[in-house]
Amino acid sequence: MISDQTRAAATIEEVAAVAGVSRSTVSRVVNGSTAVSPAAAESVRRAIAELNYVPNRAARSLASRSTLAIALVVPEDTSRLFGDPFFASIVSGINARISRSDYVLNLIMASADPGDKTAQYVRSGAVDGAIVVSHHTSDTFIDRIAAAVPVVYGGRPVRSRGGDYYVDVDNVAGARDATAFLVGRGRTRIAAITGPPSMPAGVDRAQGYRLAVADAGLTPAPVAEGDFTVESGADAMREILATGEPFDGLFVASDLMARGAMQVLAAAGVGIPDEVSVVGFDDSPIALTTEPQLTTMRQPSFTQGERMADVLIARLAGNEPPEVTILDTELIVRGSA
């Protein structure tokens, strides 16, 4: 028999299940929002009492204090964070919005952490909420963070629990439009370098590519997988070339991977765009450093960062921002296609 002392602490999902309401409703009650019906609020309070659920933010509210700190949790290593212009832009957007508020931003790198240290820090009451950027299927510790404080995700969460708040771009439509652009350029054998299947952006951009190929009735061309780094793009390009299958177009799911792929194509004597047209994704500063300059899908990463921070600040104020915000992408045409 499990004693009260050894029983695992109740989660916000368990409270929601017992109360018969959504996770977001429990979060609003815990954070003192009045935007909940009296009946739902009473059900949540009864469930909290029954399960002995005491979230950190509720404890701080009882003490009439707030940390006025927000955690930016990035489950990546430092070389990835500081080497990818996407992160620089999105973090700049987050910081710009938070600088206009009373909050300060705490950056947490969680790549080499199995999760306990990061989750314990957030759950200890050190921050009022968290923004999570670039999460993977393996990052299960994020669930423990989301059970303790309000969270907003950059991109669709890898494990949807219902009531999740996130800001994303339309990755499927963006990749579909990028590939369709190559079709419009007369390309009939379009290869692809996709992102990792452990990340929703990787999955969605691969789906958009496949939809565009199917829309055009084209014969499938080689596809290789990367991890959004220059090195993985180069490796994937070598893998595609090694198949010996012909292709005259290439969709790449990030600008960094496109740079690596274009370097390999150039070394192999393949002309861009004469022999192979290339389209990337991001419109990061990297797109201006390739030879020729990269045609790419622009995602408004600075705006995405601002919106993420805005949604979290609204939640912490007890307001009801939209749970899902989807931003559009835009094709930027340059010399590679």
Side-chain angles (χ1 to χ4, degrees):
M1 181 176 179
I2 301 177
S3 68
D4 288 341
Q5 288 73 23
T6 59
R7 183 183 293 111
T11 67
I12 195 169
E13 288 80 9
E14 290 171 337
V15 173
V18 170
V21 298
S22 69
R23 183 182 183 281
S24 59
T25 297
V26 176
S27 179
R28 283 193 286 270
V29 173
V30 166
N31 288 289
S33 172
T34 58
V36 180
S37 71
E42 180 57 27
S43 294
V44 170
R45 285 191 286 269
R46 284 198 302 267
I48 288 174
E50 177 183 338
L51 297 173
N52 194 30
Y53 175 71
V54 184
N56 289 320
R57 184 163 177 81
R60 291 197 300 275
S61 295
L62 290 173
S64 297
R65 65 187 181 91
S66 172
T67 68
L68 290 178
I70 289 172
L72 171 57
V73 181
V74 185
E76 301 284 0
D77 58 34
T78 53
S79 62
R80 187 71 175 273
L81 175 66
F82 297 111
D84 190 334
F86 165 78
F87 288 115
S89 182
I90 201 167
V91 171
S92 294
I94 292 169
N95 187 64
R97 175 62 184 90
I98 288 179
S99 69
R100 301 194 298 270
S101 73
D102 292 329
Y103 290 92
V104 295
L105 188 65
N106 293 346
L107 174 62
I108 302 177
M109 305 295 295
S111 61
D113 183 0
D116 291 340
K117 186 194 304 184
T118 301
Q120 288 173 7
Y121 172 78
V122 173
R123 292 171 63 91
S124 72
V127 297
D128 293 335
I131 296 171
V132 179
V133 176
S134 191
H135 47 297
H136 304 253
T137 304
S138 59
D139 299 324
T140 56
F141 71 94
I142 299 299
D143 296 339
R144 298 195 290 280
I145 292 175
V149 298
V151 168
V152 174
Y153 298 89
R156 176 168 53 83
V158 293
R159 288 178 301 280
S160 178
R161 292 168 299 275
D164 292 320
Y165 288 76
Y166 66 91
V167 180
D168 203 356
V169 298
D170 195 334
N171 287 296
V172 174
R176 193 174 192 170
D177 290 346
T179 308
F181 175 77
L182 290 170
V183 175
R185 282 288 205 253
R187 304 307 182 175
T188 59
R189 294 276 297 174
I190 302 173
I193 297 176
T194 63
S198 64
M199 301 182 71
V203 173
D204 291 350
R205 292 175 195 177
Q207 180 186 357
Y209 158 78
R210 290 192 298 268
L211 288 171
V213 170
D215 290 342
L218 299 180
T219 302
V223 175
E225 180 186 306
D227 65 1
F228 293 144
T229 62
V230 172
E231 295 77 15
S232 72
D235 289 341
M237 191 72 262
R238 295 187 190 99
E239 180 182 333
I240 289 173
L241 290 173
T243 67
E245 296 185 36
F247 63 98
D248 56 9
L250 178 67
F251 166 68
V252 190
S254 82
D255 288 353
L256 282 174
M257 292 196 299
R259 182 180 187 178
M262 292 172 71
Q263 290 171 344
V264 171
L265 287 173
V270 177
I272 302 171
D274 295 338
E275 296 177 76
V276 175
S277 292
V278 181
V279 177
F281 202 112
D282 286 331
D283 192 33
S284 69
I286 294 296
L288 299 177
T289 67
T290 60
E291 181 57 43
Q293 291 187 349
L294 182 63
T295 294
T296 184
M297 292 302 300
R298 174 179 293 166
Q299 60 169 332
S301 50
F302 184 91
T303 300
Q304 185 180 2
E306 282 190 309
R307 293 283 183 87
M308 290 164 60
D310 197 50
V311 170
L312 181 57
I313 290 169
R315 292 190 65 193
L316 294 175
N319 299 323
E320 292 191 67
E323 291 184 1
V324 178
T325 301
I326 302 296
L327 305 176
D328 292 330
T329 56
E330 177 188 2
L331 181 68
I332 305 299
V333 180
R334 299 192 179 97
S336 68

